[in-house]
Amino acid sequence: MAATLFAEPPSATLSEAIQHFMAAERMKPEGWKENRLFIAKCHIGLREYSEAISWLDKADSIPLAPSHYREGIKDRISQEEIHGLITKYQGYRV
């Protein structure tokens, strides 16, 4: 689909993605689960597992938004993935 809209599909590296997610993090210093989850997943993709588990812990520490808000539904979906990844990568804690 992207090839239809563009001459070639847009590309970015995981490092570039981290930079963008970190810029979003600076805009909302208290953070949000989904952004921190994506930062962690980028670090996992780069095999930087200790850094990933640190971001997973930060994401896990954010309270869930009330479930009647759209953010609450997204938080719960992210939280399930966060817990799964924490279980998988907990051996990389520093």
Side-chain angles (χ1 to χ4, degrees):
M1 174 123 177
T4 304
L5 299 173
F6 304 98
E8 63 182 61
S11 64
T13 66
L14 290 172
S15 296
E16 290 170 331
I18 290 172
Q19 290 175 4
H20 292 290
F21 290 126
M22 292 302 294
E25 189 74 14
R26 286 188 293 277
M27 287 189 247
K28 187 175 178 185
E30 68 276 12
W32 66 90
K33 286 188 179 289
E34 190 175 34
N35 192 62
R36 290 181 178 181
L37 171 60
F38 285 130
I39 293 170
K41 289 169 76 172
C42 288
H43 284 293
I44 289 168
L46 293 169
R47 297 184 175 158
E48 297 170 348
Y49 304 120
S50 295
E51 189 68 19
I53 197 73
S54 173
W55 281 101
L56 290 167
D57 288 340
K58 290 176 187 179
D60 191 37
S61 72
I62 298 173
L64 292 169
S67 59
H68 58 278
Y69 291 115
R70 189 181 103 165
E71 291 80 22
I73 295 167
K74 290 169 64 176
D75 277 0
R76 280 166 177 68
I77 293 167
S78 294
Q79 189 66 39
E80 286 181 29
E81 189 170 2
I82 290 163
H83 281 169
L85 291 172
I86 286 174
T87 299
K88 184 173 181 176
Y89 293 101
Q90 65 185 342
Y92 292 95
R93 291 184 189 282
V94 178

